[in-house]
Amino acid sequence: MATFFGEVVVAPSRAGLDEEEEAREETPEDREIRREIEKKRFQQRGEIREREIQVLWSCAEESLVCSRFIVAIGRNAAAFLSSFILDSVCWEVIGVVKLWNEWCRTSSSTNVLPTDSFCLFYRLISDPTVLLCQCSCYVAEDQQFQWLEKVFGSIQKKGLQVTILSTCPVADYKTQESTLTLVSPFLKALKTKEFQEQVCCPLLEQPNIVRDLPAA
């Protein structure tokens, strides 16, 4: 249970349950819907596409030492990183995430090269413990747990501070005043109780929530 609104807490999730337990909870209608989705996802021009998410690193370390990990999710957040943080020679690309779903199809190339289809990982040259991730591609709901498991499985978590940047339409923001009078864009924050530093903006008010991969 959250000790205050705006705190990020770990909620119960069915993601990661073994297949037997998941199968027992499925209804026949659920199974039929899942089969149809899998058919559309796996078959493209008669070829079987790989559903599993792949994380490719250019560095040889089995576990990356990281003190700060900044993740920009969505095209707007990724563009913000490009314009204000990555627009210098201080960063090097060290990895990508490859995935395939209804809205995102990465290429079969294994080269670590910038492309809109990839989640890209950067390392600060002057301080290799600072990592950035530009995730401009769509990560489907049933792929989010796998994305988290594989990405954070490659990073040492002791003393790690994670910052998530994401955006949502102003029309989705819930407030008593008219959204037409709001000065946009504006910034709100959520934080865990472990984060003891001062946040740079006001906390997100009730009943607003964060969804999808940022919430995961």
Side-chain angles (χ1 to χ4, degrees), residues 168-179 182 186 188 203-208:
C168 66
V170 175
D172 292 344
Y173 180 64
K174 297 176 177 60
T175 177
Q176 292 183 346
E177 61 180 298
S178 172
T179 55
L182 293 174
F186 56 89
K188 299 288 182 176
L203 294 178
L204 187 66
E205 308 92 343
Q206 298 187 48
N208 295 285

Side-chain angles (χ1 to χ4, degrees), residues 32-44:
E32 181 62 26
I33 292 173
R34 182 166 56 83
R35 280 195 294 267
E36 290 301 319
I37 292 177
E38 288 176 349
K39 286 180 183 178
K40 292 180 181 180
R41 176 171 292 166
F42 284 120
Q43 296 176 358
Q44 177 72 14

Side-chain angles (χ1 to χ4, degrees), residues 16 23 29 55 57-58 76 85 94 113 117 145 147 153 170 180 216:
E29 292 80 7
V55 180
W57 300 99
S58 62
N76 290 333
I85 299 179
I94 62 167
L113 296 175
S117 297
F145 176 79
W147 191 97
V170 175
L180 297 177

Side-chain angles (χ1 to χ4, degrees), residues 87-107:
D87 190 20
S88 68
V89 295
C90 301
W91 302 88
E92 60 178 344
V93 178
I94 62 167
V96 298
V97 173
K98 291 175 55 182
L99 54 87
W100 189 93
N101 55 49
E102 293 85 351
W103 294 277
C104 177
R105 301 168 186 174
T106 62
S107 70

Side-chain angles (χ1 to χ4, degrees), residues 37-86:
I37 292 177
E38 288 176 349
K39 286 180 183 178
K40 292 180 181 180
R41 176 171 292 166
F42 284 120
Q43 296 176 358
Q44 177 72 14
R45 293 193 299 272
E47 298 179 359
I48 301 300
R49 299 283 182 166
E50 181 57 61
R51 180 181 180 180
E52 182 182 4
I53 290 177
Q54 294 179 293
V55 180
L56 306 175
W57 300 99
S58 62
C59 48
E61 298 96 326
E62 293 184 0
S63 182
L64 295 171
V65 177
C66 184
S67 60
R68 292 179 181 266
F69 186 33
I70 301 173
V71 185
I73 300 175
R75 294 191 178 275
N76 290 333
F80 175 83
L81 279 190
S82 294
S83 299
F84 295 99
I85 299 179
L86 293 172

Side-chain angles (χ1 to χ4, degrees), residues 128-154:
T129 68
V130 177
L131 302 182
L132 297 181
C133 174
Q134 266 187 318
C135 185
S136 58
C137 63
Y138 174 77
V139 181
E141 183 177 351
D142 61 338
Q143 295 176 318
Q144 292 169 10
F145 176 79
Q146 186 183 165
W147 191 97
L148 293 168
E149 187 178 47
K150 293 199 172 184
V151 170
F152 283 92
S154 304

